[in-house]
Amino acid sequence: MENKEALVVKVGKKLKKGHGSFWIPKKAVELLIKDNNATALHIYTYLIIARHADVSGMFSTVGNSGIVRKLGLNSEQYLRVTKYLMNLSENGNKVLYTKDDWQAYAFPVNEKIEMDNQLNVNNPNYKPKKLLPTPPMNKGAGKKGYVQWVLNTFNCSRNEQVWFHNDLIEDSDKQKILKRLLRYKDKDVIARLLLLMYNHNDVSYGGVRPYQNMYIRYDMRKTGTENGIDIYRAKECELCQSDHFKTAIKEVFKDVVIDDGLIVSSLKILEGLGLVYKAVVALSSDPNHKDAVVLYDLDVKAGKGELLWVKKSRNAGLIDEAVKHAGFESSSICGKFYDEYTVIAEEGVTPHVAGIFKLKYEVCNSKNLPVKVARLGQKEDKALVCEWLSLLSGNVEEVSCASDEY
């Protein structure tokens, strides 16, 4: 049997932090939010460790000083929080290991795997097993780039990865976002809700999928038809929890008394801080249904005074102007939209309007596959609303539509 050093799997000469984003496995999210002993400190500490992981998502270089500084912990809190995370597991699979603990665990496992592979080398039906990855060779303890933690990825697929932007941990102005969230009385509820929203976020969809979480419902009424295009008015009605979300909340807070008011107030805090904002979109079906897809975006409802680095959609204005030109009533007041929107769809398509929630600090790197898919979808959405606007106006020429980027 080869020695321990020979089993090291090289993942690169230097650890890479990724391109402005990081991910954690859905299994880790599930374990963190369903254990009622997990607090906001536990959740945020885990996120900070993941933020400093390499491209594999496993090997993190953040030390105790980095965690303490970003969350304002004292030494006793740090030891208590990290001990909890290292004990959190499912069927013996821990969420987090120290580097030494992981190597002690991985070495005997890899030894057995290698022996099995060698014994079956002549068996044509045998599929060789993969070794557990071990930390790459790097600088010694206390040096920059030294691996301190190993996060269990649970062998998750790309579809089981929950993505975050690095600025959630500490933005470009050195603002420590998570530390700020620890000031609130209901910080544990806020932490779970934020984690759930990231878990239900879908970059290719354009935000948090409403059938899995919360959304603003809009009442719809048809006001007329012009050139094969149906015209609707949509008025903001109420904040709704999807059926899926209601079930998820019961599982998350199974041993804690929780009410809708606490969930709503926690959401308002996230909105007030600019971590969450609302995008008004036209959907192909009821937002509570899994198959509802975005037909096109209408508007962004950002919190007052918050710099979200978003570009407001012009689709609502374009649609409203086209409808007014066709002789129908406008839904804007002095060119601004508040709680009502005009919506169009080709005859045979019944649109629904919802306010879906978007996350300020989400993955936005163009090299990331979900982002590429999202941008392709935005081009298709733009083409669709342009086509319908052309039909409404009776103009076969292409209508200049808004960018679908927020």
Side-chain angles (χ1 to χ4, degrees):
M1 179 62 192
E2 296 180 6
N3 61 34
K4 184 174 180 178
E5 293 298 323
L7 290 176
V8 173
V9 177
K10 293 183 179 180
V11 298
K13 293 181 180 179
K14 294 182 179 180
L15 294 182
K16 297 179 181 179
K17 297 179 181 178
H19 300 281
S21 57
F22 66 96
W23 61 270
I24 63 176
K26 283 185 177 290
K27 175 57 68 174
V29 172
E30 178 185 330
L31 293 175
L32 282 167
I33 64 176
K34 287 188 177 181
D35 188 335
N36 284 312
N37 292 318
T39 66
L41 276 179
H42 297 124
I43 292 171
Y44 297 156
T45 299
Y46 179 84
L47 290 178
I48 291 171
I49 293 173
R51 153 68 179 86
H52 292 274
D54 69 335
V55 70
S56 73
M58 289 189 68
F59 305 116
S60 176
T61 59
V62 69
N64 62 341
S65 60
I67 297 172
V68 166
R69 179 176 59 84
K70 288 180 174 65
L71 292 178
L73 307 181
N74 57 42
S75 298
E76 183 180 343
Q77 288 174 315
Y78 169 80
L79 292 173
R80 188 166 62 246
V81 169
T82 52
K83 181 180 179 181
Y84 167 85
L85 290 173
M86 288 187 288
N87 287 327
L88 184 61
S89 64
E90 182 182 67
N91 300 324
N93 288 321
K94 293 184 178 181
V95 166
L96 183 69
Y97 298 80
T98 64
K99 177 184 176 181
D100 290 341
D101 286 345
W102 176 259
Q103 288 178 320
Y105 167 73
F107 180 69
V109 173
N110 284 344
E111 187 175 45
K112 184 177 184 307
I113 289 174
E114 282 208 341
M115 290 181 65
D116 288 344
N117 290 345
Q118 291 173 11
L119 289 173
N120 288 276
V121 69
N122 295 320
N123 183 353
N125 297 319
Y126 177 75
K127 294 182 179 180
K129 298 176 183 177
K130 293 182 179 180
L131 297 177
L132 295 178
T134 52
M137 302 299 290
N138 53 24
K139 298 177 182 179
K143 300 289 184 66
K144 187 176 181 180
Y146 177 72
V147 173
Q148 310 228 30
W149 304 97
V150 179
L151 298 101
N152 193 343
T153 63
F154 296 94
N155 296 316
C156 67
S157 66
R158 178 175 287 275
N159 292 332
E160 296 170 322
Q161 295 173 346
V162 180
W163 285 89
F164 301 80
H165 195 284
N166 288 349
D167 283 356
L168 176 66
I169 307 302
E170 186 174 76
D171 67 16
S172 56
D173 295 325
K174 301 299 181 182
Q175 294 292 319
K176 299 168 184 63
I177 311 299
L178 302 182
K179 183 178 179 180
R180 188 175 178 183
L181 287 175
L182 291 173
R183 301 172 184 173
Y184 292 90
K185 175 185 175 182
D186 299 315
K187 54 184 177 292
D188 295 341
V189 177
I190 294 171
R192 279 178 164 80
L193 180 59
L194 185 64
L195 201 55
L196 271 174
M197 296 192 87
Y198 271 99
N199 190 41
H200 296 154
N201 187 52
D202 188 335
V203 178
S204 63
Y205 187 86
V208 180
R209 282 191 173 270
Y211 88 91
Q212 292 179 303
N213 210 275
M214 292 182 287
Y215 59 92
I216 305 295
R217 185 173 69 82
Y218 282 73
D219 283 337
M220 302 284 292
R221 65 182 178 87
K222 186 176 177 180
T223 59
T225 301
E226 183 77 11
N227 295 331
I229 297 295
D230 288 334
I231 301 169
Y232 298 83
R233 291 288 290 277
K235 183 175 177 59
E236 184 175 320
C237 184
E238 60 183 344
L239 175 68
C240 294
Q241 297 181 17
S242 70
D243 295 338
H244 182 281
F245 185 73
K246 290 177 182 178
T247 302
I249 286 296
K250 289 180 181 178
E251 293 178 355
V252 171
F253 298 101
K254 57 186 176 182
D255 298 323
V256 179
V257 177
I258 194 79
D259 57 30
D260 291 346
L262 188 54
I263 296 296
V264 172
S265 64
S266 298
L267 176 63
K268 293 299 181 184
I269 288 172
L270 293 174
E271 280 189 289
L273 294 173
L275 296 176
V276 173
Y277 60 100
K278 188 178 73 175
V280 185
V281 298
L283 298 172
S284 61
S285 57
D286 190 296
N288 200 37
H289 292 168
K290 186 177 182 179
D291 59 353
V293 297
V294 176
L295 295 173
Y296 51 85
D297 62 276
L298 285 164
D299 200 6
V300 172
K301 306 290 282 187
K304 292 182 179 178
E306 295 294 340
L307 297 177
L308 294 172
W309 307 316
V310 296
K311 187 185 296 181
K312 282 199 173 186
S313 168
R314 289 174 48 232
N315 283 341
L318 289 171
I319 292 172
D320 205 60
E321 285 299 317
V323 167
K324 280 197 296 183
H325 189 266
F328 293 88
E329 184 183 1
S330 170
S331 63
S332 67
I333 301 175
C334 300
K336 294 184 179 180
F337 297 87
Y338 294 93
D339 299 325
E340 283 196 44
Y341 291 87
T342 305
V343 185
I344 61 172
E346 191 172 21
E347 285 184 292
V349 177
T350 303
H352 293 253
V353 172
I356 65 172
F357 293 101
K358 293 176 68 69
L359 298 159
K360 177 180 180 180
Y361 298 117
E362 65 173 2
V363 56
C364 56
N365 172 36
S366 61
K367 295 181 180 179
N368 185 284
L369 182 60
V371 176
K372 288 183 178 180
V373 173
R375 292 184 177 179
L376 288 173
Q378 288 171 354
K379 289 181 180 179
E380 293 176 1
D381 296 345
K382 180 179 179 180
L384 179 64
V385 73
C386 285
E387 177 187 344
W388 287 350
L389 283 170
S390 297
L391 290 171
L392 177 64
S393 64
N395 186 358
V396 294
E397 296 181 2
E398 183 179 356
V399 176
S400 176
C401 294
S403 168
D404 289 316
E405 294 181 5
Y406 290 118

